[in-house]
Amino acid sequence: MAATLTVITGPMFSKKSKRLMEMLNDELHADKKILRLKPNIDNRTVGIGSRKPGPADNEEAWEEVQAYRISSAGEAEDLFQKGKPDVIGIDEGHLFDFWLQDWIAKKLDEEKLNEDFMIIIAGLGTDYMRRPTKNMPELMAMADEVVILTAKCKTCKGKKGKAIFTERIAGSSKAIEVGSKNYRSACRACHNIYRPAKTTKTEDE
């Protein structure tokens, strides 16, 4: 068994994080040790855990897996050495800086090459202008498997096609902003990359 990398990508609202959670839960059921990472700038909480038998009424309970917020390869490495995980799950991969590529490559191609080891990362492949995000295209190129998800177009409700792009409807001129309130999913026919933002803040503001 060799180490593997799976990349989950698609527009906003395509349930990338949900797919990541499902894959991590499968590994938890197989008694694998999980390390869950997310970018430090993302302070939202999304639960990832393993299902276990609940109370007498047969309801299912969740055993949470803590998500560690990191901003550097050093922080990621410290957590890795402490936890010795079999699987690393990384959410919002497009929000990380380029160090993530090198850290992942070192794990897969050197340290864990011939072991039963897995990295799963989810993130946007392109921004609202259809430009490649920071490191997702490179990670997709080095992946063993790429899972491309689509969403429902918020404009035509799917009548013209599946949503494969993310459309900016408000906010600043930054390529990526954390959160979903300034975005919607759009199919190719409905996507408008030149839609003006409701504010005029610049990248540096």
Side-chain angles (χ1 to χ4, degrees), residues 176-202:
I176 298 290
E177 292 182 336
V178 179
S180 60
K181 64 180 180 179
N182 294 332
Y183 300 97
R184 65 185 175 195
S185 54
C187 67
R188 187 180 300 277
C190 294
H191 186 261
N192 184 353
I193 63 175
Y194 303 109
R195 181 180 298 276
K198 292 182 180 179
T199 63
T200 58
K201 292 181 179 180
T202 64

Side-chain angles (χ1 to χ4, degrees), residues 38-43 68-72 75 95-96:
K38 62 189 299 187
N40 192 50
I41 62 173
D42 184 2
N43 56 14
Y68 292 94
R69 295 168 57 192
I70 61 170
S71 58
S72 69
E75 293 175 349
L95 296 178
F96 285 94

Side-chain angles (χ1 to χ4, degrees), residues 77-159:
E77 187 62 24
D78 286 345
L79 291 168
F80 179 84
Q81 293 301 330
K82 290 177 181 177
K84 304 294 183 182
D86 305 303
V87 181
I88 299 177
I90 305 173
D91 205 1
E92 305 296 338
H94 57 281
L95 296 178
F96 285 94
D97 286 326
F98 293 105
W99 61 261
L100 184 65
Q101 300 172 33
D102 295 334
W103 186 75
I104 288 177
K106 186 175 181 180
K107 287 285 175 285
L108 296 173
D109 299 331
E110 298 178 26
E111 299 175 10
K112 297 289 184 177
L113 177 60
N114 295 311
E115 299 183 27
D116 183 7
F117 177 75
M118 180 187 305
I119 296 178
I120 309 170
I121 182 168
L124 291 172
T126 58
D127 64 16
Y128 74 102
M129 291 287 286
R130 304 187 192 179
R131 299 169 299 197
T133 54
K134 282 183 180 178
N135 47 38
M136 290 297 290
E138 286 79 3
L139 290 169
M140 291 167 65
M142 60 188 281
D144 298 88
E145 179 183 19
V146 178
V147 179
I148 302 177
L149 303 178
T150 59
K152 178 79 73 173
C153 179
K154 299 296 184 179
T155 300
C156 70
K157 310 303 181 185
K159 295 179 180 178

